[in-house]
Amino acid sequence: MAAQCCCRKAPGAEAAPARPPPEPPPALDVASASSAQLFRLRHLQLGLELRPEARELAGCLVLELCARRPAPRALVLDAHPALRLHSAAFRRAPAAAAAAAAEPPCAFAFAAPGPGPAPPPPLPAFCEAPGAEPACCPLAFRVDPFTDYGSSLTVTLPPELQAHQPFQVILRYTSTDAPAIWWLDPELTYGSAKPFVFTQGHSVCNRSFFPCFDTPAVKCTYSAVVKAPSGVQVLMSATQSTYVEEEGVYRFHMEHPVPAYLVALVAGDLQPADIGPRSRVWAEPCLLPTATSKLSGAVEQWLSAAERLYGPYLWGRYDIVFLPPSFPIVAMENPCLTFIISSILESDEFLVIDVIHEVAHSWFGNAVTNATWEEMWLSEGLATYAQRRITTETHGAAFTCLETAFRLDALHRQMKLLGEDSPVSKLQVKLEPGVNPSHLMNLFTYEKGYCFVYYLSQLCGDPQRFDDFLRAYVEKYKFTSVVAQDLLDSFLAFFPELKEQSVDCRAGLEFERWLNALFQLWTAEPLEQAAASASAIDISKWRTFQTALFLDRLLDGSPLPQDVVMSLSKCYSSLLDSMNAEIRIRWLQIVVRNDYYPDLHRVRRFLESQMSRMYTIPLYEDLCTGALKSFALEVFYQTQGRLHPNLRRTIQQILSQGLGPGAEPGGAAADSEPGLLLGDEAPSSTISLRDVNVSA
């Protein structure tokens, strides 16, 4: 029987559809030049052509927008000097779109390659009604400086634009030398067979990939059509993907709203292998067997554990792509397609932790996102807490406790190094205009964020009840962006008994104090010092985190007496040679900091085999601190041809400057790997990526 409505209408009368209440404007973000607060971004479409020989991306961007108030004079987007804008155009949305019906995605026409100058960017092709007048008209635009990490693009809009009236802005552009787009020649890949390209948008790099509202406060769905050279596999962070063979293009669609920094692309000699009912790995052919054997069955186990804790996985598939060593961080939580550096395959335990951390981001960071970069801990602290709940469920409490002790030990060392007054040590950082938010991607964001979330879980007294709260928090805020107060208000609403006790105001435990100080709670000695009789310890059966923690203690005590270093080398050097890169680099830093010449050949061999910034920069910084700079120069000149140009420039800066800014002679250099180095940035932070093992 058909359902009947109890309300009655006058004959022939149709009730006008109720307009939904207007969405509140996004939070103000000092890292964005855009006018995001004046518009609602409904959807974006990308037509992209990859041109690896020219290291160029040609693009056409179609933004589907509504103005929040009548007659906005201009649309301001985040852009970058690497982007060259060819044209801007305005198109009124068809009647169907104005009535909230979905307009079919536009097609893109790609120019045929040929001799002479580079072809123009793709052209959009819309499905116009028969006999309709051309809907597009050109727009004036200008590009102005904003910061050293971006520009502002101002596009003049027609004066008669009404509030809530859908319209489109079409931008055609090319991008070269963009911080977000990493082009690799075949010799910089493992297989040395085909060119490779990947994007890395976190935190504010995707404004060099396509003009956008480059702020985590703005989310929208997106679709893309990508043309690549023959034989190159293209992947994107999307819920749907197809290859149209007759057109030679890949089509992608992301059905859930995401911020601009989570739009990601990778293309190269990639092959898939299923590792579970909703997961596969992608890797170069020579790496695929290793990646498959290490993760087969495990990812589904981790996803299922996360679902039991925090509710359904929202993104459909969870795939992983292993990238060459030039990838600038360890891993990136791009929805549906985690990017991870291939070097991590050397260490089973770090691989487990990093993938589970990215799994946790599917709930905390991707579904619910920090609205500003000043509160990045909302994503990273919650993801780290969830990661440890998942590892407790799947690998046991002992594994989680050891990994947590290892990370918190690094937090203690960094806080003692930086001091009480360092603005970086605050959980909720005040981001000054012009400061790159990538510098906030540090140990405090992860581990101090974790400590605060753990503190909240202890206030409620029951980890399972706190899991229930986090599940409700995700359900309430999924596909939106939040500020810290949203989390704290939700916490007190879920636990009214705590609100009645005014726990947020209790002396010594005030939320505000937690977010901005509490240095004293985290500067006491964290763990017992390593045993003085180190040479008597059998470390061959230790877990990776145990060995790393032991070596970190020796690093903290360096320089050591030469007879101690000699004894350590005799006992451990050959054994450590057979261990993973996370262990070897720590031992080799001990060798370098203690000027232990008999083991320098091991340093040379390690640097000759590594192309990753997380395993090269710490050693070069240590080598340039002491008497081994000439050795560093010699090794660099022999290996530079195998390094990505961005990494090569960074090491050249280290070699020419000696110590990077902020490092202390004789002590802090190895703990000064930059928070996140992209493009031409020089080392400038005292945060160790190895300690964080940064998974964005």
Side-chain angles (χ1 to χ4, degrees):
M1 178 179 177
Q4 294 183 349
C5 178
C6 62
C7 63
R8 297 180 181 270
K9 302 176 186 176
E14 289 294 332
R19 186 187 297 276
E23 298 176 6
L28 188 64
D29 185 351
V30 298
S32 173
S34 73
S35 56
Q37 293 192 308
L38 303 181
F39 298 90
R40 183 168 71 88
L41 179 59
R42 306 164 74 224
H43 185 72
L44 69 84
Q45 302 183 61
L46 286 164
L48 304 173
E49 183 177 3
L50 306 180
R51 301 171 177 173
E53 289 189 3
R55 293 176 173 261
E56 179 182 84
L57 178 142
C60 180
L61 170 69
V62 180
L63 295 171
E64 301 180 12
L65 300 147
C66 288
R68 295 183 184 273
R69 63 189 189 203
R73 302 178 70 177
L75 169 70
V76 183
L77 299 170
D78 291 301
H80 192 276
L83 284 178
R84 184 167 76 88
L85 202 65
H86 292 245
S87 65
F90 173 86
R91 178 177 181 262
R92 295 191 183 280
E103 182 185 8
C106 71
F108 292 93
F110 297 90
L123 279 167
F126 299 99
C127 298
E128 304 287 5
E133 295 182 7
C136 293
C137 62
L139 296 175
F141 61 88
R142 74 172 192 271
V143 178
D144 299 304
F146 176 58
T147 63
D148 62 356
Y149 56 82
S151 310
S152 67
L153 168 62
T154 302
V155 181
T156 304
L157 295 175
E160 68 276 10
L161 200 61
Q162 298 300 308
H164 312 297
Q165 173 189 348
F167 66 96
Q168 294 174 335
V169 169
I170 302 146
L171 304 171
R172 298 172 68 220
Y173 65 94
T174 51
S175 183
T176 54
D177 294 325
I181 306 172
W182 293 61
W183 300 96
L184 307 184
D185 294 328
E187 56 268 24
L188 292 181
T189 68
Y190 282 102
S192 301
K194 296 177 183 177
F196 202 100
V197 62
F198 61 83
T199 65
Q200 169 58 18
H202 198 291
S203 304
V204 288
C205 289
N206 262 4
R207 61 190 66 185
S208 68
F209 181 11
F210 56 93
C212 57
F213 293 147
D214 199 1
T215 168
V218 174
K219 292 184 170 184
C220 74
T221 56
Y222 83 87
S223 55
V225 179
V226 184
K227 186 175 181 62
S230 177
V232 171
Q233 174 71 49
V234 182
L235 308 170
M236 289 192 76
S237 54
T239 47
Q240 301 169 29
S241 63
T242 57
Y243 177 63
V244 186
E245 187 170 358
E246 58 271 20
E247 299 178 27
V249 298
Y250 292 86
R251 294 186 179 275
F252 302 94
H253 181 73
M254 168 52 79
E255 64 188 271
H256 303 303
V258 295
Y261 78 89
L262 289 179
V263 178
L265 177 147
V266 59
D269 186 15
L270 295 168
Q271 292 185 1
D274 289 335
I275 55 171
R278 47 184 163 172
S279 300
R280 64 172 58 101
V281 292
W282 293 85
E284 293 184 66
C286 58
L287 291 176
L288 192 60
T290 301
T292 305
S293 65
K294 287 180 179 287
L295 291 175
S296 185
V299 172
E300 182 60 30
Q301 179 189 9
W302 301 333
L303 285 169
S304 298
E307 288 183 312
R308 290 193 297 271
L309 293 168
Y310 305 122
Y313 178 71
L314 301 168
W315 305 93
R317 294 198 60 81
Y318 185 90
D319 293 344
I320 300 170
V321 58
F322 284 91
L323 302 185
S326 299
F327 189 51
I329 56 176
V330 175
M332 180 65 204
E333 68 274 14
N334 300 310
C336 309
L337 185 67
T338 285
F339 285 17
I340 193 162
I341 194 168
S342 298
S343 312
I344 207 69
L345 287 168
E346 292 189 35
S347 171
D348 291 349
E349 290 172 39
F350 278 100
L351 177 65
V352 166
I353 292 299
D354 287 316
V355 175
I356 292 179
H357 184 84
E358 305 315 310
V359 166
H361 267 310
S362 302
W363 286 261
F364 306 102
N366 293 3
V368 185
T369 309
N370 47 280
T372 73
W373 294 118
E374 294 170 317
E375 295 182 333
M376 199 188 303
W377 70 269
L378 280 169
S379 293
E380 296 302 346
L382 281 163
T384 302
Y385 178 87
Q387 161 210 310
R388 288 173 181 154
R389 290 289 293 125
I390 296 168
T391 59
T392 299
E393 294 291 313
T394 57
H395 292 75
F399 178 90
T400 302
C401 286
L402 180 59
E403 184 266 337
T404 305
F406 168 71
R407 304 293 196 192
L408 292 181
D409 180 64
L411 176 65
H412 283 278
R413 287 189 280 117
Q414 290 296 343
M415 296 203 68
K416 293 173 78 173
L417 174 70
L418 290 175
E420 181 173 1
D421 297 328
S422 171
V424 183
S425 67
K426 293 181 179 180
L427 188 57
Q428 191 156 292
V429 179
K430 174 66 175 176
L431 188 64
E432 296 298 329
V435 175
N436 193 323
S438 295
H439 296 327
L440 304 182
M441 193 170 152
N442 59 41
L443 197 59
F444 301 100
T445 302
Y446 291 74
E447 295 304 331
K448 204 170 180 184
Y450 160 78
C451 290
F452 180 54
V453 178
Y454 181 78
Y455 150 72
L456 293 179
S457 75
Q458 294 300 294
L459 281 180
C460 77
D462 182 350
Q464 282 72 37
R465 280 195 74 204
F466 192 67
D467 292 336
D468 294 340
F469 157 67
L470 290 179
R471 177 193 286 252
Y473 166 78
V474 172
E475 179 60 31
K476 179 179 180 180
Y477 291 111
K478 65 185 178 186
F479 307 130
T480 67
S481 300
V482 299
V483 296
Q485 199 60 48
D486 295 323
L487 172 69
L488 301 180
D489 289 347
S490 297
F491 176 76
L492 293 176
F494 196 88
F495 299 104
E497 68 276 15
L498 296 180
K499 186 173 184 178
E500 291 170 7
Q501 298 168 23
S502 300
V503 294
D504 54 326
C505 302
R506 190 181 300 168
L509 296 177
E510 305 96 325
F511 287 176
E512 185 68 23
R513 188 161 172 256
W514 244 109
L515 294 176
N516 292 294
L518 288 197
F519 172 86
Q520 294 85 358
L521 291 183
W522 300 102
T523 49
E525 282 296 331
L527 297 169
E528 293 296 323
Q529 293 295 318
S533 55
S535 60
I537 300 173
D538 178 12
I539 66 172
S540 62
K541 295 180 174 60
W542 282 8
R543 306 294 294 265
T544 293
F545 292 124
Q546 290 173 288
T547 309
L549 194 55
F550 166 62
L551 294 175
D552 281 342
R553 281 291 189 268
L554 296 176
L555 271 170
D556 288 344
S558 294
L560 302 165
Q562 278 295 299
D563 58 333
V564 173
V565 181
M566 189 182 304
S567 180
L568 286 169
S569 177
K570 183 178 179 181
C571 289
Y572 298 137
S573 194
S574 297
L575 173 64
L576 295 172
D577 252 0
S578 64
M579 294 188 178
N580 63 64
E582 291 287 339
I583 298 302
R584 297 204 309 277
I585 190 174
R586 285 169 165 83
W587 168 246
L588 296 176
Q589 285 184 274
I590 293 171
V591 168
V592 171
R593 289 196 193 183
N594 289 277
D595 295 332
Y596 189 63
Y597 287 85
D599 274 356
L600 273 186
H601 68 282
R602 301 181 192 276
V603 177
R604 179 190 297 274
R605 189 165 69 239
F606 184 83
L607 289 173
E608 287 174 347
S609 66
Q610 290 293 336
M611 295 183 287
S612 166
R613 78 174 48 242
M614 68 180 180
Y615 295 135
T616 52
I617 287 177
L619 273 174
Y620 276 109
E621 288 183 332
D622 274 355
L623 287 165
C624 290
T625 302
L628 296 170
K629 187 172 180 179
S630 59
F631 173 82
L633 284 165
E634 179 187 337
V635 174
F636 174 70
Y637 286 135
Q638 292 173 352
T639 60
Q640 61 177 325
R642 298 195 294 274
L643 304 177
H644 188 275
N646 289 351
L647 177 56
R648 191 159 60 236
R649 285 193 292 266
T650 300
I651 296 174
Q652 286 171 335
Q653 290 169 340
I654 294 170
L655 293 169
S656 64
Q657 298 171 9
L659 282 173
E664 298 280 337
D671 287 331
S672 61
E673 185 170 356
L676 179 64
L677 284 171
L678 294 174
D680 295 326
E681 295 177 41
S684 59
S685 169
T686 49
I687 303 302
S688 170
L689 277 191
R690 286 187 299 96
D691 288 336
V692 186
N693 212 3
V694 167
S695 309

